[in-house]
Short mmCIF file of all heavy atoms in Angstrom, two decimals:
data_model
loop_
_atom_site.label_atom_id
_atom_site.label_comp_id
_atom_site.label_asym_id
_atom_site.label_seq_id
_atom_site.Cartn_x
_atom_site.Cartn_y
_atom_site.Cartn_z
N MET A 857 210.83 168.49 12.46
CA MET A 857 209.78 168.01 11.59
C MET A 857 208.92 166.98 12.30
O MET A 857 209.43 166.14 13.03
CB MET A 857 210.39 167.35 10.36
CG MET A 857 210.67 168.29 9.23
SD MET A 857 211.26 167.39 7.82
CE MET A 857 212.90 168.05 7.74
N GLY A 858 207.64 167.04 12.04
CA GLY A 858 206.72 166.09 12.65
C GLY A 858 206.66 164.77 11.89
O GLY A 858 207.11 164.66 10.75
N HIS A 859 206.09 163.78 12.55
CA HIS A 859 205.96 162.46 11.95
C HIS A 859 205.10 162.48 10.69
O HIS A 859 205.42 161.81 9.71
CB HIS A 859 205.36 161.47 12.95
CG HIS A 859 206.25 161.20 14.12
ND1 HIS A 859 207.44 160.54 13.98
CD2 HIS A 859 206.11 161.50 15.42
CE1 HIS A 859 208.01 160.45 15.18
NE2 HIS A 859 207.23 161.03 16.06
N LEU A 860 204.03 163.24 10.72
CA LEU A 860 203.13 163.31 9.57
C LEU A 860 203.86 163.88 8.36
O LEU A 860 203.77 163.35 7.25
CB LEU A 860 201.89 164.12 9.89
CG LEU A 860 200.89 164.29 8.74
CD1 LEU A 860 200.38 162.93 8.29
CD2 LEU A 860 199.74 165.18 9.16
N TYR A 861 204.60 164.95 8.55
CA TYR A 861 205.33 165.57 7.46
C TYR A 861 206.33 164.59 6.84
O TYR A 861 206.41 164.45 5.62
CB TYR A 861 206.06 166.83 7.96
CG TYR A 861 206.86 167.52 6.89
CD1 TYR A 861 206.24 168.32 5.95
CD2 TYR A 861 208.24 167.34 6.81
CE1 TYR A 861 206.97 168.96 4.96
CE2 TYR A 861 208.98 167.97 5.82
CZ TYR A 861 208.34 168.77 4.89
OH TYR A 861 209.06 169.38 3.91
N ARG A 862 207.06 163.89 7.69
CA ARG A 862 208.04 162.92 7.18
C ARG A 862 207.35 161.76 6.47
O ARG A 862 207.83 161.27 5.44
CB ARG A 862 208.92 162.41 8.31
CG ARG A 862 209.92 163.48 8.76
CD ARG A 862 210.84 162.95 9.80
NE ARG A 862 210.06 162.83 11.04
CZ ARG A 862 210.56 162.53 12.21
NH1 ARG A 862 211.84 162.26 12.33
NH2 ARG A 862 209.81 162.47 13.28
N ALA A 863 206.22 161.33 6.99
CA ALA A 863 205.48 160.24 6.35
C ALA A 863 205.00 160.65 4.97
O ALA A 863 205.09 159.87 4.01
CB ALA A 863 204.29 159.84 7.22
N VAL A 864 204.52 161.86 4.84
CA VAL A 864 204.06 162.35 3.53
C VAL A 864 205.23 162.44 2.56
O VAL A 864 205.10 162.10 1.38
CB VAL A 864 203.33 163.70 3.67
CG1 VAL A 864 203.06 164.32 2.31
CG2 VAL A 864 202.03 163.51 4.44
N GLN A 865 206.38 162.86 3.03
CA GLN A 865 207.57 162.90 2.17
C GLN A 865 207.94 161.52 1.66
O GLN A 865 208.26 161.35 0.48
CB GLN A 865 208.75 163.50 2.93
CG GLN A 865 208.71 164.99 3.07
CD GLN A 865 209.97 165.50 3.73
OE1 GLN A 865 210.44 164.95 4.73
NE2 GLN A 865 210.54 166.55 3.17
N VAL A 866 207.92 160.54 2.53
CA VAL A 866 208.25 159.16 2.14
C VAL A 866 207.24 158.64 1.13
O VAL A 866 207.61 158.04 0.11
CB VAL A 866 208.31 158.23 3.38
CG1 VAL A 866 208.37 156.78 2.96
CG2 VAL A 866 209.50 158.59 4.24
N MET A 867 205.96 158.90 1.38
CA MET A 867 204.93 158.44 0.46
C MET A 867 205.09 159.09 -0.91
O MET A 867 204.93 158.42 -1.94
CB MET A 867 203.55 158.73 1.03
CG MET A 867 203.23 157.88 2.25
SD MET A 867 201.65 158.27 3.00
CE MET A 867 200.56 157.56 1.78
N ALA A 868 205.41 160.35 -0.94
CA ALA A 868 205.60 161.04 -2.22
C ALA A 868 206.82 160.51 -2.96
O ALA A 868 206.79 160.32 -4.18
CB ALA A 868 205.74 162.55 -1.98
N ARG A 869 207.87 160.24 -2.23
CA ARG A 869 209.11 159.77 -2.85
C ARG A 869 208.97 158.35 -3.43
O ARG A 869 209.50 158.06 -4.49
CB ARG A 869 210.25 159.79 -1.83
CG ARG A 869 211.58 159.36 -2.43
CD ARG A 869 212.72 159.47 -1.44
NE ARG A 869 212.86 160.85 -1.00
CZ ARG A 869 213.17 161.22 0.24
NH1 ARG A 869 213.37 160.33 1.18
NH2 ARG A 869 213.27 162.49 0.56
N TYR A 870 208.26 157.49 -2.72
CA TYR A 870 208.19 156.08 -3.12
C TYR A 870 206.81 155.66 -3.61
O TYR A 870 206.54 154.47 -3.76
CB TYR A 870 208.62 155.19 -1.96
CG TYR A 870 210.03 155.44 -1.53
CD1 TYR A 870 210.30 156.11 -0.33
CD2 TYR A 870 211.10 155.05 -2.32
CE1 TYR A 870 211.61 156.36 0.06
CE2 TYR A 870 212.40 155.29 -1.93
CZ TYR A 870 212.64 155.95 -0.73
OH TYR A 870 213.93 156.21 -0.35
N GLY A 871 205.95 156.62 -3.89
CA GLY A 871 204.58 156.32 -4.29
C GLY A 871 204.45 155.48 -5.54
O GLY A 871 203.52 154.70 -5.67
N ARG A 872 205.37 155.60 -6.45
CA ARG A 872 205.31 154.82 -7.69
C ARG A 872 205.91 153.43 -7.53
O ARG A 872 205.68 152.56 -8.35
CB ARG A 872 206.02 155.55 -8.81
CG ARG A 872 205.31 156.83 -9.18
CD ARG A 872 205.96 157.53 -10.31
NE ARG A 872 205.21 158.76 -10.58
CZ ARG A 872 205.60 159.68 -11.39
NH1 ARG A 872 206.72 159.54 -12.06
NH2 ARG A 872 204.86 160.76 -11.58
N ILE A 873 206.65 153.23 -6.47
CA ILE A 873 207.31 151.94 -6.24
C ILE A 873 206.48 151.06 -5.32
O ILE A 873 206.38 149.85 -5.54
CB ILE A 873 208.70 152.17 -5.62
CG1 ILE A 873 209.58 152.97 -6.58
CG2 ILE A 873 209.36 150.85 -5.26
CD1 ILE A 873 210.86 153.47 -5.95
N PHE A 874 205.91 151.65 -4.28
CA PHE A 874 205.20 150.88 -3.27
C PHE A 874 203.71 151.21 -3.30
O PHE A 874 203.34 152.38 -3.25
CB PHE A 874 205.77 151.20 -1.89
CG PHE A 874 205.25 150.30 -0.81
CD1 PHE A 874 205.79 149.03 -0.64
CD2 PHE A 874 204.23 150.71 0.01
CE1 PHE A 874 205.31 148.19 0.35
CE2 PHE A 874 203.74 149.87 1.01
CZ PHE A 874 204.29 148.61 1.17
N PRO A 875 202.85 150.22 -3.36
CA PRO A 875 201.40 150.48 -3.40
C PRO A 875 200.84 150.82 -2.01
O PRO A 875 200.35 149.95 -1.29
CB PRO A 875 200.83 149.16 -3.93
CG PRO A 875 201.82 148.12 -3.48
CD PRO A 875 203.15 148.80 -3.48
N TRP A 876 200.91 152.07 -1.61
CA TRP A 876 200.52 152.50 -0.27
C TRP A 876 199.08 152.14 0.06
O TRP A 876 198.75 151.84 1.20
CB TRP A 876 200.73 154.00 -0.10
CG TRP A 876 202.14 154.40 -0.22
CD1 TRP A 876 202.72 155.08 -1.25
CD2 TRP A 876 203.20 154.13 0.70
NE1 TRP A 876 204.06 155.25 -1.02
CE2 TRP A 876 204.39 154.68 0.18
CE3 TRP A 876 203.26 153.47 1.93
CZ2 TRP A 876 205.60 154.59 0.82
CZ3 TRP A 876 204.49 153.39 2.58
CH2 TRP A 876 205.64 153.95 2.03
N THR A 877 198.20 152.17 -0.93
CA THR A 877 196.79 151.90 -0.65
C THR A 877 196.57 150.46 -0.20
O THR A 877 195.55 150.16 0.43
CB THR A 877 195.90 152.20 -1.87
OG1 THR A 877 196.38 151.46 -2.99
CG2 THR A 877 195.92 153.69 -2.19
N ASP A 878 197.50 149.57 -0.49
CA ASP A 878 197.37 148.19 -0.03
C ASP A 878 197.49 148.08 1.49
O ASP A 878 197.11 147.06 2.07
CB ASP A 878 198.43 147.29 -0.67
CG ASP A 878 198.18 147.07 -2.15
OD1 ASP A 878 197.08 147.43 -2.63
OD2 ASP A 878 199.06 146.53 -2.82
N LEU A 879 198.02 149.11 2.13
CA LEU A 879 198.14 149.09 3.59
C LEU A 879 196.81 149.35 4.29
O LEU A 879 196.65 149.05 5.47
CB LEU A 879 199.15 150.13 4.07
CG LEU A 879 200.60 149.89 3.69
CD1 LEU A 879 201.44 151.07 4.16
CD2 LEU A 879 201.10 148.60 4.30
N ILE A 880 195.85 149.92 3.57
CA ILE A 880 194.56 150.22 4.17
C ILE A 880 193.83 148.92 4.45
O ILE A 880 193.51 148.16 3.55
CB ILE A 880 193.71 151.13 3.26
CG1 ILE A 880 194.44 152.46 3.03
CG2 ILE A 880 192.32 151.35 3.86
CD1 ILE A 880 193.81 153.30 1.95
N THR A 881 193.60 148.66 5.71
CA THR A 881 192.95 147.42 6.12
C THR A 881 191.43 147.56 6.09
O THR A 881 190.73 146.64 5.73
CB THR A 881 193.38 147.06 7.56
OG1 THR A 881 194.80 147.07 7.62
CG2 THR A 881 192.89 145.68 7.95
N ARG A 882 190.95 148.74 6.47
CA ARG A 882 189.50 148.96 6.52
C ARG A 882 189.20 150.44 6.39
O ARG A 882 189.96 151.28 6.86
CB ARG A 882 188.94 148.42 7.83
CG ARG A 882 187.45 148.58 7.93
CD ARG A 882 186.88 147.94 9.17
NE ARG A 882 185.50 148.41 9.32
CZ ARG A 882 184.83 148.37 10.44
NH1 ARG A 882 185.38 147.88 11.52
NH2 ARG A 882 183.60 148.81 10.50
N GLU A 883 188.09 150.74 5.75
CA GLU A 883 187.60 152.11 5.66
C GLU A 883 186.46 152.30 6.65
O GLU A 883 185.63 151.41 6.83
CB GLU A 883 187.10 152.42 4.25
CG GLU A 883 188.21 152.45 3.22
CD GLU A 883 187.73 152.88 1.85
OE1 GLU A 883 186.58 153.37 1.73
OE2 GLU A 883 188.50 152.73 0.90
N TYR A 884 186.43 153.47 7.29
CA TYR A 884 185.42 153.81 8.28
C TYR A 884 184.76 155.12 7.86
O TYR A 884 185.43 156.01 7.34
CB TYR A 884 186.05 154.03 9.66
CG TYR A 884 186.74 152.82 10.23
CD1 TYR A 884 188.04 152.48 9.85
CD2 TYR A 884 186.11 152.02 11.17
CE1 TYR A 884 188.67 151.37 10.39
CE2 TYR A 884 186.74 150.91 11.72
CZ TYR A 884 188.02 150.59 11.31
OH TYR A 884 188.64 149.49 11.84
N GLY A 885 183.49 155.24 8.15
CA GLY A 885 182.83 156.52 7.96
C GLY A 885 183.22 157.46 9.09
O GLY A 885 183.73 157.02 10.13
N LEU A 886 182.97 158.73 8.90
CA LEU A 886 183.32 159.71 9.93
C LEU A 886 182.63 159.40 11.25
O LEU A 886 183.22 159.58 12.32
CB LEU A 886 182.97 161.12 9.45
CG LEU A 886 183.45 162.27 10.29
CD1 LEU A 886 184.96 162.22 10.49
CD2 LEU A 886 183.04 163.59 9.66
N HIS A 887 181.43 158.88 11.18
CA HIS A 887 180.69 158.54 12.40
C HIS A 887 181.31 157.34 13.13
O HIS A 887 180.98 157.07 14.28
CB HIS A 887 179.22 158.26 12.08
CG HIS A 887 179.01 157.04 11.22
ND1 HIS A 887 179.26 157.06 9.85
CD2 HIS A 887 178.62 155.80 11.52
CE1 HIS A 887 179.01 155.85 9.37
NE2 HIS A 887 178.62 155.07 10.36
N GLU A 888 182.24 156.64 12.48
CA GLU A 888 182.92 155.48 13.08
C GLU A 888 184.36 155.81 13.51
O GLU A 888 185.15 154.90 13.75
CB GLU A 888 182.98 154.33 12.09
CG GLU A 888 181.64 153.80 11.62
CD GLU A 888 181.82 152.75 10.57
OE1 GLU A 888 182.23 153.11 9.44
OE2 GLU A 888 181.56 151.57 10.86
N ALA A 889 184.70 157.07 13.58
CA ALA A 889 186.07 157.46 13.88
C ALA A 889 186.59 156.86 15.19
O ALA A 889 187.72 156.40 15.25
CB ALA A 889 186.19 158.98 13.91
N GLN A 890 185.76 156.86 16.20
CA GLN A 890 186.19 156.30 17.49
C GLN A 890 186.47 154.81 17.37
O GLN A 890 187.45 154.30 17.91
CB GLN A 890 185.15 156.56 18.57
CG GLN A 890 185.57 156.10 19.95
CD GLN A 890 186.84 156.80 20.44
OE1 GLN A 890 187.00 158.01 20.26
NE2 GLN A 890 187.73 156.06 21.05
N VAL A 891 185.63 154.10 16.63
CA VAL A 891 185.83 152.67 16.41
C VAL A 891 187.14 152.45 15.66
O VAL A 891 187.91 151.53 15.98
CB VAL A 891 184.65 152.05 15.63
CG1 VAL A 891 184.92 150.60 15.28
CG2 VAL A 891 183.37 152.17 16.42
N ALA A 892 187.42 153.29 14.67
CA ALA A 892 188.66 153.18 13.90
C ALA A 892 189.87 153.33 14.81
O ALA A 892 190.83 152.54 14.74
CB ALA A 892 188.70 154.24 12.80
N LEU A 893 189.85 154.32 15.69
CA LEU A 893 190.96 154.53 16.61
C LEU A 893 191.13 153.35 17.56
O LEU A 893 192.25 152.92 17.84
CB LEU A 893 190.74 155.83 17.40
CG LEU A 893 190.80 157.11 16.59
CD1 LEU A 893 190.36 158.30 17.43
CD2 LEU A 893 192.19 157.33 16.03
N GLU A 894 190.02 152.83 18.03
CA GLU A 894 190.08 151.67 18.92
C GLU A 894 190.62 150.44 18.20
O GLU A 894 191.41 149.68 18.78
CB GLU A 894 188.69 151.38 19.50
CG GLU A 894 188.22 152.44 20.46
CD GLU A 894 186.74 152.33 20.81
OE1 GLU A 894 186.07 151.38 20.33
OE2 GLU A 894 186.25 153.19 21.57
N ASP A 895 190.21 150.24 16.94
CA ASP A 895 190.70 149.10 16.17
C ASP A 895 192.21 149.19 15.93
O ASP A 895 192.93 148.20 16.02
CB ASP A 895 189.96 148.99 14.84
CG ASP A 895 188.55 148.42 15.00
OD1 ASP A 895 188.21 147.98 16.11
OD2 ASP A 895 187.81 148.43 14.00
N VAL A 896 192.70 150.39 15.65
CA VAL A 896 194.15 150.57 15.46
C VAL A 896 194.88 150.31 16.78
O VAL A 896 195.89 149.61 16.81
CB VAL A 896 194.47 151.99 14.92
CG1 VAL A 896 195.96 152.25 14.95
CG2 VAL A 896 193.93 152.14 13.50
N ALA A 897 194.37 150.87 17.86
CA ALA A 897 195.02 150.69 19.17
C ALA A 897 195.06 149.22 19.57
O ALA A 897 196.04 148.77 20.18
CB ALA A 897 194.29 151.51 20.23
N ALA A 898 194.03 148.47 19.22
CA ALA A 898 193.96 147.05 19.57
C ALA A 898 194.63 146.17 18.51
O ALA A 898 194.62 144.95 18.63
CB ALA A 898 192.51 146.62 19.74
N GLN A 899 195.20 146.80 17.49
CA GLN A 899 195.89 146.12 16.39
C GLN A 899 194.98 145.15 15.64
O GLN A 899 195.42 144.11 15.15
CB GLN A 899 197.15 145.41 16.89
CG GLN A 899 198.15 146.38 17.46
CD GLN A 899 199.42 145.69 17.93
OE1 GLN A 899 199.48 144.48 18.10
NE2 GLN A 899 200.45 146.48 18.16
N ARG A 900 193.71 145.51 15.53
CA ARG A 900 192.78 144.73 14.72
C ARG A 900 192.91 145.09 13.25
O ARG A 900 192.50 144.34 12.38
CB ARG A 900 191.34 144.95 15.19
CG ARG A 900 191.05 144.28 16.52
CD ARG A 900 189.57 144.37 16.87
NE ARG A 900 189.20 145.70 17.31
CZ ARG A 900 189.15 146.08 18.58
NH1 ARG A 900 189.46 145.24 19.55
NH2 ARG A 900 188.77 147.30 18.90
N VAL A 901 193.46 146.28 12.97
CA VAL A 901 193.71 146.74 11.61
C VAL A 901 195.13 147.32 11.56
O VAL A 901 195.66 147.77 12.56
CB VAL A 901 192.68 147.78 11.14
CG1 VAL A 901 191.29 147.21 11.09
CG2 VAL A 901 192.73 149.02 11.99
N VAL A 902 195.71 147.33 10.36
CA VAL A 902 197.04 147.92 10.19
C VAL A 902 196.89 149.42 9.94
O VAL A 902 197.52 150.24 10.61
CB VAL A 902 197.79 147.28 9.01
CG1 VAL A 902 199.10 148.00 8.73
CG2 VAL A 902 198.02 145.79 9.29
N LYS A 903 196.03 149.77 9.00
CA LYS A 903 195.81 151.17 8.66
C LYS A 903 194.33 151.40 8.48
O LYS A 903 193.70 150.76 7.64
CB LYS A 903 196.56 151.54 7.38
CG LYS A 903 196.42 152.98 6.95
CD LYS A 903 196.89 153.98 7.99
CE LYS A 903 198.38 154.06 8.07
NZ LYS A 903 198.85 155.09 8.99
N ALA A 904 193.77 152.27 9.28
CA ALA A 904 192.35 152.63 9.17
C ALA A 904 192.24 153.92 8.37
O ALA A 904 192.97 154.87 8.61
CB ALA A 904 191.76 152.83 10.56
N LEU A 905 191.32 153.92 7.42
CA LEU A 905 191.07 155.12 6.62
C LEU A 905 189.71 155.65 6.99
O LEU A 905 188.70 154.95 6.85
CB LEU A 905 191.12 154.77 5.13
CG LEU A 905 190.80 155.91 4.17
CD1 LEU A 905 191.87 157.00 4.27
CD2 LEU A 905 190.71 155.39 2.76
N ILE A 906 189.65 156.89 7.48
CA ILE A 906 188.40 157.51 7.84
C ILE A 906 187.95 158.38 6.66
O ILE A 906 188.65 159.32 6.28
CB ILE A 906 188.53 158.34 9.13
CG1 ILE A 906 188.94 157.42 10.28
CG2 ILE A 906 187.22 159.07 9.44
CD1 ILE A 906 189.26 158.13 11.57
N VAL A 907 186.80 158.03 6.11
CA VAL A 907 186.27 158.73 4.94
C VAL A 907 185.15 159.66 5.39
O VAL A 907 184.14 159.18 5.91
CB VAL A 907 185.73 157.72 3.90
CG1 VAL A 907 185.21 158.45 2.67
CG2 VAL A 907 186.81 156.72 3.53
N PRO A 908 185.34 160.98 5.24
CA PRO A 908 184.29 161.91 5.68
C PRO A 908 183.06 161.84 4.80
O PRO A 908 183.05 161.38 3.73
CB PRO A 908 184.96 163.27 5.58
CG PRO A 908 186.16 163.11 4.77
CD PRO A 908 186.49 161.66 4.72
#
């Protein structure tokens, strides 16, 4: 099993207990995807959400 699959399982199992959306540090537009990846790599954000 891949990491993404396991992560989705955990989120589904504990979604009512833990507010997952609170982990989103910043939202990025699709045109900012590269910036989002760089921010995560540099640990400027915890979780980047790319909104198409």
Side-chain angles (χ1 to χ4, degrees):
M857 272 184 245
H859 294 293
L860 178 60
Y861 179 78
R862 287 184 287 188
V864 170
Q865 283 185 315
V866 169
M867 291 176 73
R869 182 176 300 143
Y870 299 107
R872 294 182 181 171
I873 298 169
F874 189 80
W876 297 109
T877 56
D878 290 349
L879 293 176
I880 299 169
T881 308
R882 182 175 168 200
E883 292 185 12
Y884 298 82
L886 189 56
H887 65 283
E888 299 175 290
Q890 184 60 41
V891 174
L893 293 171
E894 291 168 2
D895 284 352
V896 170
Q899 297 181 345
R900 288 187 285 265
V901 297
V902 174
K903 181 58 76 176
L905 177 65
I906 299 173
V907 182

